[in-house]
Amino acid sequence: LQKIKMNDSDNVWVISQFGKIKAQVKAFKGIMPNVVAMPIGLGKTVGGRWEANIGANPINIIAPVNDPITGEFINGTTRVKIEKA
């Protein structure tokens, strides 16, 4: 966060070659340097007026890569850039 001068609760754009989503910063000392972590599956784009367009789901900007042996989705392979929103 110091390299890009951001604080907790700042809004940022998480940008990959597949798109961008808006998110809120939450610093966590236990994460490796130069790594962004986001829970997959949060955020809604449909629903009633109280639940539509809330949050963002990072699955929308992750590379569509599957493990060649198991066929399971590999979600740690996408490089992203962070910019202040």
Side-chain angles (χ1 to χ4, degrees):
L1 293 175
Q2 284 73 23
K3 288 182 183 179
I4 50 180
K5 305 254 192 280
M6 292 182 196
N7 301 306
D8 272 359
S9 300
D10 283 352
N11 286 317
V12 295
W13 289 108
V14 182
I15 305 163
S16 80
Q17 70 184 60
F18 302 99
K20 70 180 184 177
I21 58 174
K22 195 177 207 179
Q24 190 176 62
V25 172
K26 176 61 180 157
F28 178 65
K29 293 182 180 183
I31 197 165
M32 292 175 51
N34 300 315
V35 171
V36 173
M38 296 180 75
I40 292 177
L42 298 179
K44 292 182 171 254
T45 57
V46 296
R49 66 179 174 168
W50 302 112
E51 63 181 350
N53 301 314
I54 298 200
N57 188 350
I59 200 81
N60 298 322
I61 64 167
I62 293 177
V65 179
N66 292 344
D67 182 281
I69 297 171
T70 66
E72 292 293 316
F73 178 64
I74 302 173
N75 62 6
T77 59
T78 306
R79 293 184 180 267
V80 296
K81 178 172 70 168
I82 307 295
E83 293 179 353
K84 280 192 174 182

